[in-house]
Amino acid sequence: MSIEPRAEVAQERELPVWDGPVPVAPETAGQHRVVQRICARVAPEGMAVGVADLPPGGLQVWIDTASPLPEQESWVIHHRMAREVALVGWHCDADARRLLVLGWSVACLQNRVRLLQSGLRRLAGFEQTARLAVRLDGLTPGDVPVSHAVEAACAAVSRMLRWPRRLAELDGFERGSDLPYLQLLLAQVMGLEAKVASACQEHLVMARVLARAVCERHAEHGDLAAARREVLAESRRWVRASTMIRGSGVTKPGHASGGRPHMGLAERRIAASVHNHGAPLPRKNR
């Protein structure tokens, strides 16, 4: 009986030792940035927020202070953070010690869809934006440069809208899921966010135009109150004209869209210069 010789055993490989920080997956790093931004906004001024990976998956967030906070105060802050982070669509658990940010939640994503749809409905009106823009955030043209007054008015409108800052916290974050039903929800959320961002941009453009117009009118006659009234009256004509044009659109009975699509600022100004929008044509005598 012949016995084949044994094959030579390969030498054991020595795995390299990683001395630096453990690399983080892009989606985890993106989630880390978003959660850090949200919690830093919610936390009281001057209070640091710590964010770290959670071993089973997800993130843990805590208040980083030199001395422990009272339990009731810590509980309130962590739950406030949990409410804001959950508005992005993540499931959150909080107690007095820390906040746990876990995976996507169907209920939280559906709630975000409802919030975005509600925000779009409110953004269809420009009256409050116009009234706030002509105030110039309390500044008087002539005491400050025109550019300063315009930027102050835009900043005031942006604070009122709230959505621009909240959407900016998601910049650079690629959202996704391996589950088909979560993919559909995330796609719906991102599509609505794009519409809300576009609507907010229209409000900021209108604020910039109106604030600059107030400065120009004030430079003409020196009466700030009159300048505000004149510019505000013009802005109302833009809004009324666009509303009348949307209402005059022809749609099929029962169609959900109703009227023409959303109008931009330029379309509003053009519409305001045309009279008798949607008025029926006179009948000819036969």
Side-chain angles (χ1 to χ4, degrees), residues 50-260:
V51 181
D53 294 337
L54 193 65
L59 298 175
Q60 53 183 333
V61 185
W62 67 94
I63 302 168
D64 196 0
T65 55
S67 57
L69 292 175
E71 184 174 352
Q72 180 64 23
E73 182 180 357
S74 178
W75 189 92
V76 170
I77 295 173
H78 281 112
H79 278 75
R80 191 179 301 154
M81 291 177 177
R83 184 176 64 250
E84 290 294 320
V85 172
L87 290 178
V88 177
W90 287 304
H91 176 79
C92 296
D93 285 323
D95 55 23
R97 297 183 302 111
R98 63 179 179 174
L99 161 67
L100 302 181
V101 184
L102 306 176
W104 295 117
S105 162
V106 172
C108 291
L109 287 172
Q110 290 173 340
N111 182 55
R112 185 166 182 82
V113 168
R114 289 190 293 269
L115 287 174
L116 289 164
Q117 291 172 337
S118 176
L120 275 175
R121 288 192 294 270
R122 287 195 295 269
L123 287 167
F126 285 79
E127 290 80 3
Q128 190 174 357
T129 293
R131 289 195 301 268
L132 186 58
V134 298
R135 293 176 192 169
L136 303 180
D137 201 26
L139 300 177
T140 302
D143 295 346
V144 296
V146 173
S147 60
H148 189 179
V150 172
E151 291 303 326
C154 290
V157 170
S158 181
R159 289 192 299 270
M160 178 199 70
L161 295 175
R162 298 192 303 169
W163 277 111
R165 184 176 180 182
R166 282 168 166 76
L167 293 179
E169 291 171 346
L170 297 169
D171 285 348
F173 179 44
E174 296 292 336
R175 285 163 282 181
S177 174
D178 294 332
L179 303 176
Y181 61 91
L182 286 178
Q183 291 174 4
L184 291 174
L185 269 175
L186 287 169
Q188 185 180 10
V189 165
M190 289 184 282
L192 287 169
E193 285 174 353
K195 293 180 180 179
V196 168
S198 178
C200 287
Q201 188 60 33
E202 281 195 17
H203 281 259
L204 295 176
V205 169
M206 174 172 269
R208 185 174 298 277
V209 171
L210 298 185
R212 188 170 294 278
V214 169
C215 294
E216 292 173 354
R217 296 293 174 85
H218 178 266
E220 291 175 2
H221 47 65
D223 189 341
L224 182 56
R228 287 171 174 166
R229 287 194 301 270
E230 293 169 5
V231 173
L232 194 57
E234 290 181 0
S235 72
R236 286 169 181 160
R237 287 200 297 270
W238 302 347
V239 175
R240 281 200 303 269
S242 64
T243 303
M244 294 174 71
I245 286 183
R246 284 202 303 271
S248 66
V250 178
T251 56
K252 295 180 180 180
H255 196 274
S257 60
R260 304 184 76 177

